[in-house]
Amino acid sequence: MRFNQILIVDSIPAGERNTARELHQDVGLRAQVFAPAPELLYRRVEDREEFLTLLPELTAAATTTGDVPVLHIECHGSNDGLAFADGSFANWADLKGPLTSLNIATGMNLLVVVSACDGSALTYTLGLVDRAPLHGLIGPTRAVAPEELMRAYLAFYETLMRTRSARQAVDAMRLTTPDTFVYRAAQWLFQHVWDHYQATQETPDARLERGRRMAANPPDDYVGPPIQPEVFAHLLADKNREFFDNYRRKFFLCDLFPEHEARFTVRYEAPE
C-alpha cells in the first residue's frame, strides 16, 4: 500500500493517560531511520463534529497535494462506532461517506487504525451499490490496557514503515499481543457483503420469491403476456456473475483506477 503520512488523531478524554501523544512521539523517533520517512502528524479533536470536519479536510489535501495518510484514531468506542473526548458518538453509518471520499482521493490506499473497536459493524452499513470506504481497518477485539496498545502499535508502525504491508504489520502486532487485533481488508469487507447477499437473496427459494414480486409488478411500458415467476428467477441466476463483476469493479474503484483490476482479486463462486 502507498502512504506518506501517519496522522494520529487524539480524542482521549482529559485526565486519562494520553496514548495518542505518546504514540506520536515514539513513532516519530522510529520513523527517522527510514528513508523516505513518512510525515508524522498529530491532531486533537474534542468531539464528533470536529472529527467529521477533519475527514473532508484530509480528502481535499489528498486531492490537491497527493498526501496519503494512515489515519490512526485514539479514542473510546464500541463496535458500533467511535466515542470522542466529550462523550459524543459517531457510528459507522456517519463515517462511511466521508471515509469513502477520502479513500477515493487516496487511490484506495486509506488504512484506518482505531484503538476502540474491531469495526465489524462497518459491514452492516455496506450495500451492493457502495464503493470501498477504506483499504483496510485495524482494531482490537477486546478492551486493551494502554501498555498493550503502545507495545502493539509500535511493532505495527515499525513493520509498516519497513515493509509497506498492512498485513505484515498486523502480523507483527499480533506477535506482541496475541488474540487481540483484527485486520478488515477491503477484500474481506467485499466478501462479507457479497456472501450475505448470496445467502439471503440468491438461494433458489429467494430467487423464486423475487420472481413472484417481479411478475406481479411488471414495468409500466411492458406489453405482452404475463411472465411466469420461474422465468424471472432463472434470469436472476443467469445474471449473478454479471452482477458480481459490476459490484466488484465499483467497490474496488476499478472504473476510476483501471490498475485495480489486478490489484484486488476476489473469486466468484456460482450460487446454487
Side-chain angles (χ1 to χ4, degrees):
M1 60 171 292
R2 183 170 61 88
F3 66 95
N4 60 2
Q5 295 177 335
I6 298 173
L7 171 59
I8 297 174
V9 178
D10 173 10
S11 199
I12 301 293
E16 297 185 12
R17 177 177 173 180
N18 196 299
T19 50
R21 286 197 294 265
E22 293 181 31
L23 192 63
H24 177 254
Q25 180 179 5
D26 290 349
V27 173
L29 292 173
R30 286 161 172 78
Q32 295 175 15
V33 304
F34 297 96
E39 183 180 13
L40 264 292
L41 303 173
Y42 169 90
R43 178 77 170 260
R44 174 72 183 179
V45 300
E46 296 293 338
D47 56 37
R48 172 185 183 275
E49 294 307 316
E50 280 190 52
F51 185 72
L52 291 178
T53 299
L54 170 63
L55 294 178
E57 291 178 12
L58 298 177
T59 300
T63 301
T64 58
T65 68
D67 288 334
V68 179
V70 173
L71 182 59
H72 184 111
I73 309 163
E74 287 284 310
C75 65
H76 293 308
S78 68
N79 282 339
D80 293 328
L82 307 177
F84 298 96
D86 73 336
S88 56
F89 189 83
N91 60 35
W92 288 111
D94 299 326
L95 300 171
K96 181 180 73 169
L99 288 175
T100 301
S101 296
L102 179 54
N103 192 39
I104 293 171
T106 64
M108 196 158 174
N109 285 287
L110 178 61
L111 180 64
V112 178
V113 184
V114 294
S115 61
C117 61
D118 69 10
S120 297
L122 174 60
T123 61
Y124 305 143
T125 72
L126 297 176
L128 293 175
V129 297
D130 289 325
R131 296 189 183 275
L134 36 76
H135 174 89
L137 176 69
I138 297 165
T141 58
R142 61 174 176 85
V144 187
E147 292 79 10
E148 293 179 292
L149 281 175
M150 290 298 297
R151 185 169 63 250
Y153 285 139
L154 288 176
F156 171 82
Y157 283 112
E158 285 182 354
T159 306
L160 183 67
M161 289 185 287
R162 176 171 51 83
T163 67
R164 300 281 163 158
S165 167
R167 192 168 298 281
Q168 290 185 50
V170 171
D171 288 343
M173 74 191 304
R174 285 172 173 164
L175 288 175
T176 69
T177 313
D179 303 320
T180 299
F181 292 93
V182 294
Y183 175 40
R184 309 295 191 192
Q187 292 95 324
W188 185 93
L189 295 175
F190 174 93
Q191 200 67 55
H192 186 90
V193 174
W194 178 256
D195 288 348
H196 177 73
Y197 170 76
Q198 293 297 98
T200 58
Q201 301 298 321
E202 288 293 341
T203 65
D205 288 343
R207 285 196 297 270
L208 184 58
E209 178 58 32
R210 291 165 65 197
R212 292 191 182 101
R213 293 196 299 270
M214 295 168 74
N217 297 279
D220 292 337
D221 59 353
Y222 176 74
V223 177
I227 301 177
Q228 296 302 309
E230 290 80 5
V231 175
F232 284 114
H234 183 74
L235 180 63
L236 290 169
D238 284 346
K239 291 289 186 179
N240 189 260
R241 176 59 190 265
E242 180 181 337
F243 191 24
F244 172 89
D245 287 336
N246 290 338
Y247 172 44
R248 176 187 56 80
R249 282 191 291 268
K250 183 174 182 181
F251 187 86
F252 293 112
L253 314 186
C254 298
D255 55 326
L256 304 178
F257 306 98
E259 66 273 17
H260 289 188
E261 291 281 1
R263 183 183 176 198
F264 299 99
T265 57
V266 288
R267 187 178 64 182
Y268 173 76
E269 293 184 3
E272 297 178 11

